[in-house]
């Protein structure tokens, strides 16, 4: 899994007159942040592929910091790094951190919140924390219905969680 390296337009390997040459030999075109981002991208891809989320999260945090500074917070590569970071936090059960980051980046009601809120609600429901689960499911339902549309599958999923919560009470 690669979280993108569009800032490096050359292919990583190209045929040269004397055989294979790597574009990284031309590293003078890249600054230290570009090189660090490339290294982080490779390491992060490996960590996520191997489900090593404790390792992946700090890598994703640093990659997001670099991408935001160089490309801006709404650039495609910055958003991809953000999504990988959020996915890592979700796998570690750090739902609050994931939602707080999305709140800061997109505001309190954005469609990107919905899958995270649904997952968080389901996790809370399994733990028996029904009131908190209901809060998350209602927020997910509200955002999905208002921002995505009432026919979206995320609306149905939110309704399903709320129905399960009702049966558990």
């Amino acid at each position: 899994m690669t979280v993108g390296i569009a800032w490096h337009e050359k292919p990583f390997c190209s045929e040269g007159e004397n055989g294979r040459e790597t574009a990284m030999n031309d590293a003078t075109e890249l600054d230290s942040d570009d090189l660090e981002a490339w290294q982080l991208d490779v390491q992060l891809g490996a960590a996520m592929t191997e489900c090593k989320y404790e390792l992946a999260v700090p890598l994703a945090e640093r990659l997001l910091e670099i991408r935001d500074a160089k490309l801006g917070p709404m650039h495609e590569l910055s958003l991809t790094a953000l999504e990988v970071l959020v996915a890592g936090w979700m796998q570690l059960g750090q739902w609050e951190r994931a939602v707080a980051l999305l709140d800061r980046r997109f505001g309190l009601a954005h469609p990107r919140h919905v899958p995270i809120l649904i997952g968080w609600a389901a996790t809370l429901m399994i733990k028996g924390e029904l009131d908190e689960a209901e809060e998350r499911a209602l927020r997910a339902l509200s955002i999905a219905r208002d921002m995505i549309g009432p026919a979206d599958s995320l609306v149905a999923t939110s309704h399903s969680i709320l129905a399960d919560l009702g049966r558990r009470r």
Side-chain angles (χ1 to χ4, degrees):
M1 176 186 127
T2 299
V3 288
I5 1 181
W7 41 263
H8 191 287
E9 295 178 5
K10 293 183 178 183
F12 283 101
C13 292
S14 61
E15 291 292 333
E17 290 182 10
N18 299 327
R20 296 200 71 71
E21 298 175 359
T22 64
M24 291 307 292
N25 289 339
D26 197 10
T28 56
E29 294 178 20
L30 303 175
D31 67 20
S32 62
D33 284 340
D34 291 333
L35 291 173
E36 183 182 3
W38 178 80
Q39 291 171 332
L40 289 166
D41 196 29
V42 171
Q43 294 168 347
L44 179 56
M48 291 297 282
T49 300
E50 296 173 16
C51 302
K52 295 182 178 177
Y53 304 112
E54 296 84 8
L55 175 63
V57 164
L59 297 172
E61 289 172 329
R62 178 64 183 138
L63 182 59
L64 179 61
E65 182 182 313
I66 293 169
R67 294 258 168 86
D68 279 354
K70 287 195 71 94
L71 305 171
M74 299 310 282
H75 188 277
E76 176 184 340
L77 293 176
S78 296
L79 294 173
T80 301
L82 178 134
E83 289 174 0
V84 172
L85 175 57
V86 166
W89 281 337
M90 289 170 56
Q91 291 297 323
L92 295 173
Q94 297 178 5
W95 303 97
E96 294 91 352
R97 291 182 79 181
V99 171
L101 178 59
L102 293 176
D103 286 349
R104 285 191 308 274
R105 181 70 56 113
F106 303 110
L108 297 176
H110 191 277
R112 290 178 190 258
H113 286 74
V114 177
I116 295 160
L117 290 167
I118 288 172
W120 192 5
T123 300
L124 290 168
M125 183 173 58
I126 291 167
K127 290 180 174 182
E129 299 174 25
L130 303 183
D131 291 338
E132 288 187 42
E134 183 178 33
E135 284 179 38
R136 301 321 180 272
L138 286 170
R139 182 174 173 199
L141 174 61
S142 174
I143 295 169
R145 190 177 44 224
D146 296 346
M147 302 292 290
I148 302 171
D152 191 82
S153 63
L154 293 172
V155 172
T157 303
S158 298
H159 277 297
S160 176
I161 289 175
L162 289 166
D164 284 348
L165 284 166
R167 284 191 291 275
R168 290 176 185 242
R169 288 180 190 241

